[in-house]
Each structure stands twice: as structure tokens, then as C-alpha cells.
């Protein structure tokens, strides 16, 4: 069992931001570079056997113009442009199948599910390669790919893909571009939090047990994966610790939280060894927009599970009126 800080301390836990010099300029340059490529979002209707839904195979240009896959689902009975939930995925898996993403269409909304470049698994297959080679050797996994240079770091590409996924959703004729909610858990929560800090005008954000927040603390208190990839790498790359942490500061959810304005619902769990509760509480306390937090006292990285999903449905319903 893993236990982080006591709940009374977590409720007041607001560490300093790990903001590197030039953070905003770095992300302006990154997103301007991506915008130089035509988004070229394509929605190809596919028969997934879901008779009540329109289902599309999605493809759009992400970081570097690289093609990113996804799914788009919406109720067939919908009349008029719909709110859309842009869904980001947990670590080590891909977009899976259309029937794995029925929650938001069943609630009456559209959803765009973004595949995560370079990630797949036996039970969570993906379809998007990452064509960029890392500049430094690393341990197995994604967290150390390009770790010694913010420009070449893996999550620069992933977060940019996340921003472009919102643009793809906004461009669909059946979507109300003013009512976009970003959502995800763990790695997906990290991407949703980053996008909330980078994209203006979002209607909301659902950020559950977010990964890659308060990273400097996380690598001090847990060796669980995926953070364990970082600690294993740094155990060998002894002279590169400062450079690696400097890179990670450019991708820390705390810095994005401080720039976000959309209403957000967070979830965290007090016995989570993967994304320790203090890291989630820190992101929540720094989040600059309207916010709510659900805390699950006796759960690990699963967080609130179905209970959190029910809270998210209620939250989005309240946003949409």
C-alpha cells in the first residue's frame, strides 16, 4: 500500500511552480510550427456495427505534420451541432476500437478519441507511429525519449497532437466549436491538462489522476511505472539529472494548470502509487479556472472508476445546460 501526505496537508498543498525561463515562448514556437502544416482532418465513416451511432475513422496532421489517427462517434439521432468531448489516452495503449468509447455518445455528445503516437498494447491497440528518433539513449518506454532537450522530447509531440485534436473536433460540421471538453486519465489527464493550458475557449476539462504533474516530487517519492522509467534512467545518467529535470519542467502539468481557464473537474486517489495524490492536489490548487475535485480515500491509480465517470457526466451536463 502506498500513502502520500495526509489529507489535511494535501488540502493546502501548493508547491512553487517549476516554470523554466521562456516557457510561454517555447510553446508559442511549438504550436506555431505545428500550425504551418495543413490540419487536413479527415473523417471517414466506418461500419463498426453500432447502429445508433455515426462512427468515423479520423486522421489529422499533428506535430511535424505527422498523421495522427483517432475515432469520432456521435448519436445518429442528434439534431444540430453537438458538444464534443476530446478524449486522450492512458500510457502504453492506443485508440482501441469504436465500441470502447460509448460513454459520451450514450450521454448525447460527440466524442473524438485521439490515438497516442508510438503507443500500443495487446489489449489497447494503437495505429499511430512516431517517426521521430530520440537524440539520446533511454530505458524502455517513452518518458526518456529525447529527455535531454525540450525541443526533442517525446511529449512535445504528444501535447501538440492534443492541441491539434481539438482543432480537428472544432472543424467537424456536426460539432459546436464553442462547446469542446478535453478529458483523460493518467497520461490522458496530463494531455488534457496541457491542452487546457494551451488552448483558449474550451468549455471544460476532465482531469483524472493526472500523470506528469509536479514531476520533481513524483520522481523523489515513487518508482512505480511510468515514473520508474525516469528514475531508472537517471540512476545511470548521473551527470544528466539537471538537464533532464529542466526538460521535464517544460511539460509539467503545474505550469499548464496555472494558465488554464476552462471549468475543470479533477479526480485523485490517496493510495495512488503511480500518480501520487500530492501531485494531483498540486495541479488542482494551481489550476487557474473554476474547478472541482473528487477525492477517493481508499483507492489507487484506478481512482474513482465508474463513480468518477458518473461525476464527469454530471459535470459536463452542468456545463452544457
Amino acid at each position: 500500500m502506498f500513502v502520500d501526505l495526509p489529507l489535511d496537508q494535501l488540502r493546502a498543498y501548493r508547491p512553487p511552480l517549476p516554470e523554466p525561463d521562456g516557457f510561454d515562448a517555447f510553446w508559442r514556437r511549438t504550436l506555431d510550427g505545428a500550425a504551418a502544416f495543413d490540419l487536413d482532418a479527415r473523417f471517414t465513416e466506418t461500419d463498426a456495427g453500432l447502429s445508433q451511432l455515426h462512427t468515423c475513422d479520423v486522421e489529422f496532421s499533428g506535430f511535424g505534420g505527422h498523421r495522427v489517427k483517432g475515432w469520432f462517434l456521435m448519436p445518429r439521432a442528434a439534431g444540430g451541432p453537438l458538444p464534443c468531448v476530446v478524449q486522450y489516452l492512458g500510457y502504453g495503449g492506443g485508440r482501441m476500437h469504436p465500441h470502447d468509447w460509448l460513454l459520451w455518445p450514450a450521454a448525447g455528445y460527440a466524442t473524438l478519441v485521439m490515438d497516442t503516437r508510438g503507443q500500443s498494447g495487446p489489449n489497447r491497440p494503437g495505429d499511430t507511429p512516431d517517426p521521430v528518433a530520440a537524440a539520446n539513449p533511454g530505458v524502455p518506454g517513452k518518458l526518456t525519449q529525447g529527455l535531454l532537450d525540450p525541443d526533442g522530447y517525446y511529449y512535445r509531440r504528444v501535447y501538440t497532437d492534443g492541441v491539434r485534436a481539438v482543432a480537428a473536433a472544432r472543424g467537424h460540421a456536426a460539432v459546436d466549436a464553442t462547446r469542446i471538453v478535453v478529458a483523460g486519465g493518467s497520461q490522458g489527464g496530463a494531455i488534457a491538462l496541457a491542452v487546457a493550458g494551451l488552448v483558449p475557449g474550451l468549455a471544460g476539462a476532465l482531469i483524472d489522476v493526472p500523470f506528469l504533474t509536479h514531476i520533481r516530487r513524483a520522481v523523489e517519492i515513487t518508482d512505480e511505472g511510468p515514473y520508474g522509467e525516469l528514475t531508472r534512467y537517471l540512476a545511470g545518467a548521473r551527470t544528466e539529472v539537471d538537464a533532464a529535470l529542466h526538460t521535464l519542467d517544460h511539460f509539467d502539468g503545474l505550469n499548464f494548470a496555472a494558465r488554464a481557464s476552462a471549468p475543470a473537474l479533477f479526480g485523485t486517489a490517496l493510495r495512488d502509487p503511480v500518480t501520487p495524490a500530492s501531485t494531483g492536489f498540486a495541479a488542482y490548487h494551481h489550476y487557474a479556472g473554476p474547478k472541482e475535485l473528487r477525492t477517493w480515500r481508499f483507492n489507487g491509480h484506478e481512482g474513482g472508476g465508474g463513480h468518477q465517470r458518473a461525476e464527469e457526466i454530471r459535470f459536463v451536463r452542468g456545463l452544457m445546460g
Side-chain angles (χ1 to χ4, degrees):
M1 180 181 70
F2 176 91
V3 178
D4 199 350
L5 298 174
L7 183 56
D8 60 343
Q9 294 182 32
L10 291 170
R11 287 174 171 150
Y13 187 67
R14 195 175 189 271
L17 291 175
E19 183 178 318
D21 292 340
F23 178 85
D24 291 316
F26 171 82
W27 281 105
R28 277 196 303 271
R29 176 168 57 85
T30 296
L31 298 184
D32 286 349
F37 296 93
D38 187 353
L39 183 65
D40 190 22
R42 302 180 186 181
F43 296 82
T44 304
E45 189 120 14
T46 184
D47 182 4
L50 304 173
S51 63
Q52 303 305 304
L53 302 179
H54 286 293
T55 306
C56 292
D57 193 332
V58 177
E59 191 174 293
F60 62 89
S61 295
F63 180 91
H66 308 148
R67 300 299 283 172
V68 177
K69 298 286 285 184
W71 299 117
F72 179 82
L73 296 86
M74 61 173 286
R76 285 190 181 275
L82 290 175
C84 182
V85 177
V86 178
Q87 180 76 51
Y88 306 113
L89 309 182
Y91 190 72
R95 65 174 180 162
M96 301 190 292
H97 307 282
H99 58 254
D100 292 309
W101 303 106
L102 302 183
L103 175 64
W104 294 112
Y109 309 120
T111 188
L112 189 151
V113 180
M114 188 191 87
D115 206 16
T116 310
R117 62 169 62 218
Q119 296 190 31
S120 189
N123 296 314
R124 296 189 292 152
D127 294 295
T128 302
D130 182 15
V132 180
N136 61 275
V139 302
K142 298 297 181 185
L143 265 68
T144 62
Q145 291 187 4
L147 181 59
L148 302 183
D149 176 13
D151 278 359
Y153 191 47
Y154 170 76
Y155 280 97
R156 184 183 185 217
R157 303 190 289 279
V158 173
Y159 287 0
T160 303
D161 292 346
V163 169
R164 301 279 277 178
V166 170
R170 282 177 164 167
H172 194 288
V175 169
D176 182 344
T178 68
R179 295 194 290 171
I180 302 290
V181 174
V182 293
S186 194
Q187 176 186 257
I191 302 170
L193 183 54
V195 173
L198 292 169
V199 176
L202 295 173
L206 307 174
I207 302 164
D208 192 24
V209 293
F211 184 44
L212 294 175
T213 65
H214 201 7
I215 301 170
R216 287 175 178 258
R217 174 170 171 81
V219 297
E220 295 287 350
I221 64 174
T222 183
D223 287 325
E224 289 285 334
Y227 282 121
E229 294 174 22
L230 294 173
T231 57
R232 288 197 302 277
Y233 174 78
L234 295 174
R238 296 172 177 83
T239 63
E240 307 292 356
V241 172
D242 289 343
L245 293 176
H246 174 71
T247 291
L248 291 166
D249 288 344
H250 291 76
F251 304 91
D252 195 305
L254 299 189
N255 296 321
F256 297 110
R259 291 161 168 79
S261 60
L265 175 66
F266 282 76
T268 191
L270 299 192
R271 286 166 165 75
D272 186 346
V274 177
T275 57
S278 59
T279 68
F281 270 84
Y284 171 76
H285 289 309
H286 275 293
Y287 194 86
K291 58 197 175 186
E292 299 178 22
L293 173 65
R294 303 292 180 267
T295 301
W296 309 99
R297 293 173 57 196
F298 297 99
N299 289 95
H301 195 53
E302 75 280 3
H307 289 84
Q308 184 74 20
R309 301 293 84 74
E311 292 293 317
E312 291 173 348
I313 292 169
R314 283 192 285 271
F315 185 78
V316 171
R317 184 183 297 164
L319 294 175
M320 302 308 167

